[in-house]
PDB file of all heavy atoms in Angstrom:
ATOM      1  N   VAL A  77      83.515 119.043  85.148  1.00 95.00           N
ATOM      2  CA  VAL A  77      84.559 118.052  84.892  1.00 95.00           C
ATOM      3  C   VAL A  77      84.942 117.359  86.206  1.00 95.00           C
ATOM      4  O   VAL A  77      85.047 116.127  86.274  1.00 95.00           O
ATOM      5  CB  VAL A  77      85.808 118.721  84.266  1.00 95.00           C
ATOM      6  CG1 VAL A  77      86.898 117.681  84.044  1.00 95.00           C
ATOM      7  CG2 VAL A  77      85.441 119.405  82.952  1.00 95.00           C
ATOM      8  N   ALA A  78      85.105 118.155  87.252  1.00 94.00           N
ATOM      9  CA  ALA A  78      85.543 117.607  88.541  1.00 94.00           C
ATOM     10  C   ALA A  78      84.565 116.561  89.061  1.00 94.00           C
ATOM     11  O   ALA A  78      84.946 115.423  89.364  1.00 94.00           O
ATOM     12  CB  ALA A  78      85.688 118.740  89.557  1.00 94.00           C
ATOM     13  N   THR A  79      83.305 116.937  89.150  1.00 90.00           N
ATOM     14  CA  THR A  79      82.348 116.020  89.767  1.00 90.00           C
ATOM     15  C   THR A  79      82.133 114.790  88.895  1.00 90.00           C
ATOM     16  O   THR A  79      81.957 113.685  89.412  1.00 90.00           O
ATOM     17  CB  THR A  79      81.005 116.729  90.024  1.00 90.00           C
ATOM     18  OG1 THR A  79      80.550 117.312  88.805  1.00 90.00           O
ATOM     19  CG2 THR A  79      81.167 117.827  91.054  1.00 90.00           C
ATOM     20  N   THR A  80      82.191 114.981  87.574  1.00 92.00           N
ATOM     21  CA  THR A  80      81.989 113.825  86.698  1.00 92.00           C
ATOM     22  C   THR A  80      83.166 112.849  86.806  1.00 92.00           C
ATOM     23  O   THR A  80      82.960 111.631  86.884  1.00 92.00           O
ATOM     24  CB  THR A  80      81.808 114.285  85.242  1.00 92.00           C
ATOM     25  OG1 THR A  80      80.806 115.292  85.190  1.00 92.00           O
ATOM     26  CG2 THR A  80      81.412 113.122  84.350  1.00 92.00           C
ATOM     27  N   LEU A  81      84.375 113.381  86.816  1.00 92.00           N
ATOM     28  CA  LEU A  81      85.530 112.483  86.934  1.00 92.00           C
ATOM     29  C   LEU A  81      85.497 111.723  88.261  1.00 92.00           C
ATOM     30  O   LEU A  81      85.794 110.537  88.325  1.00 92.00           O
ATOM     31  CB  LEU A  81      86.837 113.281  86.834  1.00 92.00           C
ATOM     32  CG  LEU A  81      87.197 113.863  85.466  1.00 92.00           C
ATOM     33  CD1 LEU A  81      88.519 114.616  85.554  1.00 92.00           C
ATOM     34  CD2 LEU A  81      87.283 112.770  84.392  1.00 92.00           C
ATOM     35  N   MET A  82      85.129 112.436  89.318  1.00 89.00           N
ATOM     36  CA  MET A  82      85.093 111.776  90.631  1.00 89.00           C
ATOM     37  C   MET A  82      84.112 110.607  90.639  1.00 89.00           C
ATOM     38  O   MET A  82      84.353 109.598  91.274  1.00 89.00           O
ATOM     39  CB  MET A  82      84.685 112.784  91.702  1.00 89.00           C
ATOM     40  CG  MET A  82      85.770 113.777  92.049  1.00 89.00           C
ATOM     41  SD  MET A  82      85.120 114.956  93.227  1.00 89.00           S
ATOM     42  CE  MET A  82      86.526 116.041  93.442  1.00 89.00           C
ATOM     43  N   SER A  83      82.992 110.782  89.935  1.00 85.00           N
ATOM     44  CA  SER A  83      81.959 109.738  89.974  1.00 85.00           C
ATOM     45  C   SER A  83      82.232 108.597  89.026  1.00 85.00           C
ATOM     46  O   SER A  83      81.684 107.520  89.202  1.00 85.00           O
ATOM     47  CB  SER A  83      80.600 110.333  89.595  1.00 85.00           C
ATOM     48  OG  SER A  83      80.319 111.450  90.367  1.00 85.00           O
ATOM     49  N   THR A  84      83.034 108.825  88.004  1.00 89.00           N
ATOM     50  CA  THR A  84      83.070 107.833  86.936  1.00 89.00           C
ATOM     51  C   THR A  84      84.424 107.171  86.703  1.00 89.00           C
ATOM     52  O   THR A  84      84.483 106.150  86.023  1.00 89.00           O
ATOM     53  CB  THR A  84      82.634 108.467  85.592  1.00 89.00           C
ATOM     54  OG1 THR A  84      83.473 109.592  85.323  1.00 89.00           O
ATOM     55  CG2 THR A  84      81.195 108.914  85.647  1.00 89.00           C
ATOM     56  N   VAL A  85      85.505 107.731  87.226  1.00 88.00           N
ATOM     57  CA  VAL A  85      86.814 107.184  86.862  1.00 88.00           C
ATOM     58  C   VAL A  85      87.110 105.856  87.568  1.00 88.00           C
ATOM     59  O   VAL A  85      87.539 104.896  86.950  1.00 88.00           O
ATOM     60  CB  VAL A  85      87.944 108.202  87.133  1.00 88.00           C
ATOM     61  CG1 VAL A  85      89.304 107.528  87.010  1.00 88.00           C
ATOM     62  CG2 VAL A  85      87.844 109.337  86.140  1.00 88.00           C
ATOM     63  N   GLY A  86      86.864 105.806  88.869  1.00 79.00           N
ATOM     64  CA  GLY A  86      86.987 104.517  89.545  1.00 79.00           C
ATOM     65  C   GLY A  86      88.317 104.259  90.215  1.00 79.00           C
ATOM     66  O   GLY A  86      88.358 103.677  91.273  1.00 79.00           O
ATOM     67  N   GLY A  87      89.426 104.629  89.620  1.00 81.00           N
ATOM     68  CA  GLY A  87      90.720 104.434  90.258  1.00 81.00           C
ATOM     69  C   GLY A  87      91.147 105.682  90.997  1.00 81.00           C
ATOM     70  O   GLY A  87      90.379 106.620  91.155  1.00 81.00           O
ATOM     71  N   ALA A  88      92.406 105.690  91.429  1.00 84.00           N
ATOM     72  CA  ALA A  88      92.911 106.828  92.187  1.00 84.00           C
ATOM     73  C   ALA A  88      92.889 108.105  91.355  1.00 84.00           C
ATOM     74  O   ALA A  88      92.782 109.205  91.885  1.00 84.00           O
ATOM     75  CB  ALA A  88      94.330 106.553  92.669  1.00 84.00           C
TER      76      ALA A  88
END
Side-chain angles (χ1 to χ4, degrees):
Chain A
V77 178
T79 54
T80 309
L81 289 180
M82 286 176 182
S83 308
T84 56
V85 169

